[in-house]
Amino acid sequence: MEVVPLASADEVAALGADVVEAAVRAGGAVLGLATGSTPLPTYRELIRRYDAGLGPSYDGVRCFTLDEYVGLPAGHPESYRATIARELTDPLGIPADRVQGPSPELAGLPTAGARYEEALVAAGGVDVQILGIGSDGHLAFNEPGSSLASLTRLKTLTEETRRDNARFFGSIDEVPRHVLTQGLGTILRARHLLLLATGAAKAAALAAAVEGPVSASCPASVLQLHPHVTVLCDGPAATGLTRRDHYREVYDAKPAWQGL
């Protein structure tokens, strides 16, 4: 795990965009996309570069989302398919048929997780998986207590998570109670995991994930078991890291050819 403490959220966004673009330039990339507020600055930076003619072509890129609400009407603007189209893939010119998420159709729910796992394998796996971290250490919708080997499945949202997500809806009553989410074991199959963390509210969870024990009590701690994880965090999110200066010293001394 490489932890890179940065001065600002803007620096996190710029370096995060560099990681994604490097994978795309390598050709035929499969990107794993997270929703929520944390990845938005990175997505905006990718779009800014693309619009300015500075970014790569996204022809041939395929995308998979981490999760999807269950029970929203088709085409609901807060569905994760609609959200990721609006916030990233449409502006980058990635057509809808190359963006896939777990299917929330009620009739197919019993097999939706297994079918999504099959789709990920058929695509050759995810090259770069973008991740955020919840204030309780959750990854995607894998809440504390989730199996570290879990696969894509139906989950019931906690009241805390529904409250956190209510800002995207009119009220907490409009937030669905169930989601389909990639499991921790599914996430660990991606070749490169890119965790973005900004703001003081994420400091305790980030410290537990990076420097605490590997435990289902902090689902994001499972990242310690992966061979290629990059953690980009701003100053407020890094305040709980006891080895923060060490991480920065190691990053500053990296050979230029090594990359992230």
Side-chain angles (χ1 to χ4, degrees):
M1 180 182 290
E2 180 174 17
V3 181
V4 185
L6 298 163
S8 67
D10 287 343
E11 288 189 19
V12 170
L15 200 52
D18 288 346
V19 171
V20 174
E21 289 187 338
V24 171
R25 287 191 171 100
V30 177
L31 302 178
L33 304 178
T35 51
S37 57
T38 301
L40 279 178
T42 296
Y43 294 163
R44 290 168 184 155
E45 177 63 9
L46 288 167
I47 294 165
R48 184 194 68 80
R49 296 179 188 182
Y50 180 77
D51 288 344
L54 303 174
S57 167
Y58 289 84
D59 291 346
V61 170
R62 293 191 62 184
C63 302
F64 287 86
T65 61
L66 276 174
D67 34 42
E68 185 55 273
Y69 286 119
V70 172
L72 292 180
H76 192 286
E78 295 307 325
S79 73
Y80 287 137
R81 283 294 298 275
T83 299
I84 210 65
R86 181 174 63 246
E87 294 176 347
L88 185 66
T89 56
D90 281 358
L92 293 181
I94 301 173
D97 62 2
R98 287 199 266 117
V99 182
Q100 188 168 349
S103 173
E105 294 180 4
L106 297 179
L109 278 183
T111 61
R115 286 185 282 117
Y116 200 53
E117 292 288 328
E118 291 168 1
L120 287 162
V121 171
V126 171
D127 293 302
V128 176
Q129 175 64 63
I130 298 169
L131 298 165
I133 183 171
S135 57
D136 60 358
H138 71 255
L139 281 185
F141 280 114
N142 296 283
E143 308 277 3
S146 295
S147 165
L148 301 184
S150 55
L151 301 179
T152 305
R153 68 215 185 280
L154 183 74
K155 290 286 287 183
T156 300
L157 297 183
T158 66
E159 287 303 298
E160 179 181 2
T161 297
R162 293 180 71 232
R163 282 194 301 271
D164 287 346
N165 287 5
R167 66 188 186 276
F168 301 114
F169 294 81
S171 70
I172 189 174
D173 294 332
E174 296 178 35
V175 181
R177 294 187 177 275
H178 297 96
V179 292
L180 285 162
T181 183
Q182 286 190 33
L184 298 172
T186 311
I187 291 168
L188 288 179
R189 292 205 309 265
R191 284 177 276 279
H192 184 184
L193 302 179
L194 176 63
L195 179 66
L196 310 174
T198 54
K202 301 300 177 71
L206 183 64
V210 171
E211 296 180 344
V214 176
S215 167
S217 296
C218 178
S221 67
V222 76
L223 301 182
Q224 296 179 40
L225 303 177
H226 193 278
H228 190 188
V229 179
T230 302
V231 178
L232 306 180
C233 52
D234 66 359
T239 54
L241 298 174
T242 61
R243 297 190 290 275
R244 178 176 49 183
D245 293 342
H246 167 74
Y247 300 139
R248 185 67 208 199
E249 180 181 2
V250 169
Y251 175 70
D252 288 341
K254 285 184 67 173
W257 54 262
Q258 198 169 34
L260 288 171

